Amino acid sequence: MLSTLLRGCCIAAAGGVMVLLSAGAPAHANDEVRIGLITGGCVGCHGGEGGGGHGIPNIAKTMTRAEFVATMKAFRENKNNPTVMNRIARGYTDEEFALMAIRWAKPE
Amino acid sequence: MAYTLTRRGLLASAAAVPLALAAPRVSAQARMRLVIIGGGFGGASAARFARDAFPDVEVTLIERARTFTTCPYGNLVLGGMRKIEDITFTYDGLARRGVRVVHDEAVAVDASAKTVRLRNGGPVSYDRLIMSPGIDLRWGAIDGYTEDAAERMPHGWAPYVQPITVLERQLRAMPDGGVFVMAIPDNPFRCPPGPYERISMVAHYFKQAKPRAKILALDAKNGFSKQPLFQEAWEELYPGMIEWRGASNDGRVVRVNPTAMTVHTEFGDTVKADVANVIPPQMAGRIARDAGLANQTGWCPVKPQTFESALVPGIHVIGDASIAAPMPKSGFVASTHAKQAVAAAVALHRGETPANPVYFNTCYSHVGTDYGISIVGVYRAEGDRFIEVPNSGGISPRNATMSRERKEEQRRLEAHYADGWYEALTRQMFGLG
């Protein structure tokens, strides 16, 4: 499933019409739901659009997927002068970072 | 040319359809009816998520009140940092997004007929029910602490029973040099760091307006959430003002006398208060207990993967009413219960397997101006229980672990993050952004 998710651009069939989804969108509605669940923690502070505010960084389309995942992994190691993100990042898997990146990173 | 135009037209219209509608559906004819009881952090978050993630599901939210005042940030009203209207919301945003909002009281649930009976309107049928009933207070659990007593000795712990402004008015009217007494319950209870943020915010107010006032916190337990962080901050910001007494130091309040304005401890101490804030023991909201969802503890056991009741099939119980330890009873974590419960309810209705859950909590507490602290937790389901992911989460770093400059920066940032957290969470649950 992950390899499908991580492909940049997906084509889905809907009622015989080929729909070109926006770049970075997941292949299937169930994947989108799963991403919504995994990013349930992110949106609690960064907001539904990821824009942040009150000093909370904007995470919407500010990084490539690789940069996003690398940032999260660095937080796990207490890098980048963290306040809360180190404590948060240690609770998630690499696969979940990749799924988060689909929602937050620049379209690929 | 005509072909091209037609094809382009088709593409354009198909692209405008939301993604989930474009996906194959199991049942095209019958829209699933998802009904949610309770419009707090759990219920409102469930409604918003269901509406966004499942456009082909009919979402009904049953909530008796027209407005919702949050428990989070209520303490900031006491501290003079917020006004009650800043923390009060309507359901208009959810209604605008297509949630059917029914302002009525759910009085009974018939789990076999799958209907909810309302006080005023006709019954509401559901395919799956999500219940987010919040807490009820256990009147009489502390001898003498009745609903009447709560007018003299406010709890300020359930805004739908009593607004925080009742306690606020008493604090404002208290003479300088007076004693503010708090009775704090044993676990489990709503918002584990809440009483200690309240101590902090009242101290913040006293420091400016009533510098000779004292705070005596009588606690039915021996330790509390973010304890070292709170106690370090109290010493630093409010030296000599706060006394906290745990259970083994005769901190458990067993009786109150609202006429004499006294509280009485387990081993016989009598304390006279100028203002008394009694936070009594709690249990799941009545509708959940009446529906047979609670066990002998008064709380509702659930399946960790789906939040479906362990006692009654087809009903998911989320938020404070559920038994979900080691997760705290908090607004944020309720919003992640909500999303998992919605996704699981839809999956189960469609005969699919629900995704493995990850639950998440961040609780910020304001301790003073530009002084915030937090606790974080990431949780998963393991068999029939919830677990906290090892080596993750935890509280803000303690004073001794940082330079003074770094600590001040950390506390200042977390105070601002707290404001962002509150805004992001409430905007989403009420459909405002």
Side-chain angles (χ1 to χ4, degrees):
Chain A
M1 179 191 272
L2 186 59
S3 61
T4 317
L5 287 169
L6 292 181
R7 269 208 302 273
C9 209
C10 312
I11 307 284
V17 180
M18 298 303 282
V19 183
L20 184 65
L21 299 174
S22 64
H28 190 276
N30 283 349
D31 299 335
E32 194 175 41
V33 169
R34 185 158 178 239
I35 290 170
L37 294 173
I38 284 164
T39 54
C42 314
V43 300
C45 293
H46 293 273
E49 303 299 321
H54 297 272
I56 297 171
N58 176 9
I59 56 170
K61 300 181 176 59
T62 58
M63 288 174 266
T64 66
R65 287 185 187 177
E67 285 165 350
F68 182 93
V69 171
T71 302
M72 294 300 287
K73 286 182 176 175
F75 277 134
R76 261 196 209 142
E77 311 296 323
N78 288 326
K79 289 174 186 160
N80 299 338
N81 212 17
T83 47
V84 289
M85 283 308 302
N86 51 339
R87 292 178 264 154
I88 295 168
R90 286 197 288 270
Y92 291 90
T93 64
D94 288 357
E95 191 217 0
E96 288 165 343
F97 289 162
L99 289 167
M100 291 173 186
I102 293 172
R103 177 163 181 178
W104 301 125
K106 290 174 189 164
E108 283 171 22
Chain B
M1 194 63 187
Y3 169 76
T4 311
L5 277 174
T6 308
R7 194 167 171 275
R8 288 180 65 167
L10 269 175
L11 270 172
S13 61
V17 174
L19 177 60
L21 273 181
R25 272 180 286 165
V26 172
S27 163
Q29 65 278 24
R31 273 159 66 89
M32 178 189 174
R33 295 160 304 174
L34 185 71
V35 174
I36 301 158
I37 296 177
F41 279 82
S45 299
R48 172 70 195 273
F49 182 71
R51 187 64 294 134
D52 284 3
F54 301 104
D56 52 347
V57 171
E58 197 179 289
V59 182
T60 302
L61 175 65
I62 301 169
E63 164 57 48
R64 60 190 161 194
R66 298 252 161 201
T67 62
F68 182 84
T69 302
T70 63
C71 276
Y73 274 54
N75 290 327
L76 277 74
V77 173
L78 301 181
M81 291 180 171
R82 287 289 188 286
K83 296 199 182 319
I84 190 84
E85 51 270 27
D86 300 334
I87 62 166
T88 301
F89 299 84
T90 73
Y91 295 92
D92 297 350
L94 286 175
R96 271 198 301 275
R97 286 173 187 271
V99 174
R100 182 178 160 233
V101 181
V102 177
H103 286 299
D104 203 331
E105 186 175 3
V107 290
V109 174
D110 184 336
S112 49
K114 294 193 168 182
T115 55
V116 179
R117 193 154 57 78
L118 303 178
R119 182 164 302 286
N120 300 310
V124 178
S125 296
Y126 64 83
D127 293 306
R128 286 255 158 193
L129 179 64
I130 292 184
M131 210 188 275
S132 189
I135 59 160
D136 278 351
L137 304 174
R138 288 181 185 264
W139 302 114
I142 295 173
D143 192 16
Y145 197 65
T146 60
E147 284 184 84
D148 285 345
E151 290 181 24
R152 292 273 325 234
M153 298 178 152
H155 50 82
W157 216 248
Y160 39 90
V161 182
Q162 177 188 67
I164 192 71
T165 45
V166 175
L167 180 57
E168 182 197 14
R169 278 194 296 273
Q170 293 191 5
L171 287 165
R172 298 298 180 260
M174 194 185 92
D176 192 7
V179 180
F180 172 55
V181 177
M182 279 180 75
I184 302 170
D186 202 350
N187 296 320
F189 66 103
R190 162 178 284 177
C191 192
Y196 314 97
E197 184 190 57
R198 177 166 294 178
I199 291 170
S200 310
M201 285 293 96
V202 172
H204 172 77
Y205 163 67
F206 283 168
K207 190 176 176 179
Q208 301 159 63
K210 300 177 167 99
R212 293 186 299 115
K214 298 279 185 220
I215 300 173
L216 173 59
L218 300 169
D219 207 324
K221 54 195 176 303
N222 278 321
F224 58 86
S225 177
K226 306 181 217 174
Q227 183 169 1
L229 296 175
F230 275 114
Q231 290 183 323
E232 282 175 356
W234 293 342
E235 232 167 84
E236 200 178 317
L237 302 174
Y238 316 112
M241 186 185 280
I242 300 164
E243 184 192 341
W244 175 81
R245 214 195 278 176
S248 61
N249 197 15
D250 197 16
R252 182 190 293 270
V253 171
V254 293
R255 185 164 66 85
V256 299
N257 182 338
T259 312
M261 281 299 285
T262 52
V263 308
H264 306 265
T265 62
E266 191 174 14
F267 299 112
D269 196 8
T270 294
V271 177
K272 175 90 172 71
D274 290 285
V275 175
N277 171 207
V278 177
I279 305 168
Q282 299 145 27
M283 58 188 163
R286 180 172 176 176
I287 182 75
R289 288 180 287 120
D290 286 354
L293 299 165
N295 65 17
Q296 72 287 351
T297 65
W299 305 103
C300 304
V302 294
K303 299 176 184 172
Q305 287 77 15
T306 59
F307 272 85
E308 185 173 16
S309 167
L311 304 176
V312 183
I315 304 178
H316 303 251
V317 187
I318 61 173
D320 293 348
S322 64
I323 299 174
M327 288 190 264
K329 297 189 184 300
S330 86
F332 193 148
V333 91
S335 80
T336 74
H337 298 174
K339 291 174 186 182
Q340 180 67 20
V342 165
V346 173
L348 291 168
H349 180 70
R350 292 174 176 170
E352 297 166 4
T353 307
N356 278 331
V358 53
Y359 304 107
F360 178 77
N361 184 58
T362 297
C363 285
Y364 284 104
S365 302
H366 284 277
V367 189
T369 306
D370 277 345
Y371 198 117
I373 57 177
S374 66
I375 185 164
V376 170
V378 185
Y379 308 87
R380 295 177 191 274
E382 197 177 80
D384 61 354
R385 61 198 188 108
F386 297 99
I387 57 147
E388 182 163 11
V389 177
N391 305 315
S392 72
I395 61 173
S396 311
R398 295 182 57 179
N399 291 358
T401 63
M402 296 175 284
S403 71
R404 186 176 176 77
E405 293 71 30
R406 174 66 189 139
K407 192 207 83 173
E408 280 175 7
E409 173 73 352
Q410 168 101 21
R411 302 289 186 257
R412 189 184 65 76
L413 283 172
E414 292 215 280
H416 289 266
Y417 293 170
D419 294 343
W421 163 92
Y422 181 80
E423 197 175 290
L425 204 51
T426 51
R427 284 183 65 78
Q428 282 172 87
M429 64 188 265
F430 293 110
L432 302 172

